[in-house]
């Protein structure tokens, strides 16, 4: 055996360990964001929370951009990034955070998991991507799970406004996923994340008066939770997800994202002692079943091709 072969043999376990580590870190950080929002809401209003979180994330990304010399966007693309920042992050985060005032962290993660189904419908309408019969069945099943969660609480069946807000967040996110596709041919996922986070923070400045008023009186626990969400789920997890995608086929990597709602339930139980109702848990499992059908069997071309760029970055900024 040559030295070159030996070297490659020694590197393979290290590369595999790095991939497993990056994937695990990504899943855990993204899953923890739902519980982190609930902790932040103990002292902050939703608007103040998202502004503080993304101010910190923006500063962290500016430092990162200076270190790696992140290239500047093409001038003509800047209006699109402002639109993406507003729809894909500002509206999404507002819907999710305001929704979590009355929706548990685990339930919110299940509702957000329905994003691939919304995205598949929009891709069918605007990108002419064809769905198989399994894809349509998966969408129907997933929406059935959404209905179960949306009309379920601990006291029986009734309409839950918080669920509607989280669904609004998912809806805005899927619009972003569909229309960012062309730009992912020109920019990396990390570059696109940085540009949209910076522009989204601009729109969030409308909540500055609330943040200025609430920050001096907020608990340390809530403030630390927001710093955590800004640095780890928002910044570091995006980097580890890029590492994962560089090492694994997109179809395999994105299949692991379906684990996030389960991890979110466990984290919410350990951190917040939140226990989902039977209706919420049943609806969540139905959603995951539908999403699995859509992502694994939904596209007619998927058996011959890996997932498209749209699928690769489908959940990069959802938490």
């Amino acid at each position: 055996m040559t030295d070159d072969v030996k070297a490659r043999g020694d590197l393979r376990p290290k590369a595999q360990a790095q991939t497993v580590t990056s994937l695990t870190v990504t899943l855990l950080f993204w899953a923890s964001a739902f519980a982190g929002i609930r902790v932040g809401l103990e002292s902050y209003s939703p608007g103040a929370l998202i502004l503080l979180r993304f101010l910190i994330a923006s500063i962290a990304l500016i430092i990162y951009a200076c270190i790696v010399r992140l290239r500047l966007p093409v001038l003509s693309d800047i209006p699109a990034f402002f639109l993406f920042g507003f729809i894909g992050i500002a509206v999404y985060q507002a819907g999710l955070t305001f929704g979590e005032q009355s929706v548990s962290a685990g339930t919110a993660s299940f509702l957000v998991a329905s994003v691939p189904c919304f995205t598949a419908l929009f891709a069918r309408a605007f990108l002419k991507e064809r769905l198989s019969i399994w894809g349509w069945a998966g969408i129907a099943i997933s929406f059935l799970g959404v209905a179960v969660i949306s009309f379920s609480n601990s006291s029986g069946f009734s309409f839950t406004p918080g669920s509607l807000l989280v669904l609004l967040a998912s809806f805005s996110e899927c619009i972003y996923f569909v229309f960012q596709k062309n730009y992912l041919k020109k920019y990396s996922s990390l570059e696109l994340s940085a540009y949209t986070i910076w522009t989204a923070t601009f729109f969030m400045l409308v909540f500055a008066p609330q943040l200025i008023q609430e920050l001096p009186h907020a608990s340390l626990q809530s403030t630390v939770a927001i710093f955590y969400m800004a640095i780890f789920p928002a910044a570091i997890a995006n980097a580890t997800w890029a590492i994962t995608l560089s090492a694994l086929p997109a179809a395999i990597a994105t299949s692991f994202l379906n684990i996030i709602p389960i991890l979110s339930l466990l984290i919410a139980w350990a951190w917040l002692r939140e226990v989902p109702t039977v209706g919420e848990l049943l609806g969540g499992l139905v959603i995951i079943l539908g999403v699995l059908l859509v992502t694994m069997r939904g596209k007619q071309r998927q058996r011959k091709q890996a997932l498209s760029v749209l699928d690769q970055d489908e959940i990069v900024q959802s938490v």
Side-chain angles (χ1 to χ4, degrees), residues 22-36 105-107 109-110 113 228 255-272 274 281 285 288:
S22 65
L23 177 60
T24 302
V25 167
T26 302
L27 295 177
L28 287 174
F29 282 166
W30 280 345
S32 67
F34 295 95
T107 300
S109 68
F110 276 124
Y228 166 81
S255 68
F256 285 100
L257 298 179
N258 294 301
I259 302 174
I260 286 179
I262 306 299
L263 293 175
S264 181
L265 278 179
L266 295 174
I267 292 171
W269 173 79
W271 192 354
L272 308 175
E274 286 186 352
L281 185 58
L285 294 176
I288 296 302

Side-chain angles (χ1 to χ4, degrees), residues 7-89:
R8 283 183 290 173
D10 292 338
L11 285 174
R12 174 174 289 184
K14 294 180 180 179
Q16 291 176 342
Q18 182 186 42
T19 302
V20 171
T21 300
S22 65
L23 177 60
T24 302
V25 167
T26 302
L27 295 177
L28 287 174
F29 282 166
W30 280 345
S32 67
F34 295 95
I37 290 173
R38 295 280 287 182
V39 175
L41 287 172
E42 293 175 1
S43 295
Y44 291 90
S45 63
L49 188 157
I50 61 175
L51 174 57
L52 178 58
R53 178 183 177 184
F54 281 89
L55 278 174
I56 299 168
S58 292
I59 293 171
L61 283 171
I62 289 173
I63 296 173
Y64 172 79
C66 292
I67 293 174
V68 302
R69 296 182 179 180
L70 194 73
R71 61 174 176 164
L72 295 175
V74 177
L75 190 62
S76 60
D77 291 337
I78 292 179
F81 291 135
F82 271 93
L83 180 62
F84 292 159
F86 177 73
I87 295 176
I89 298 183

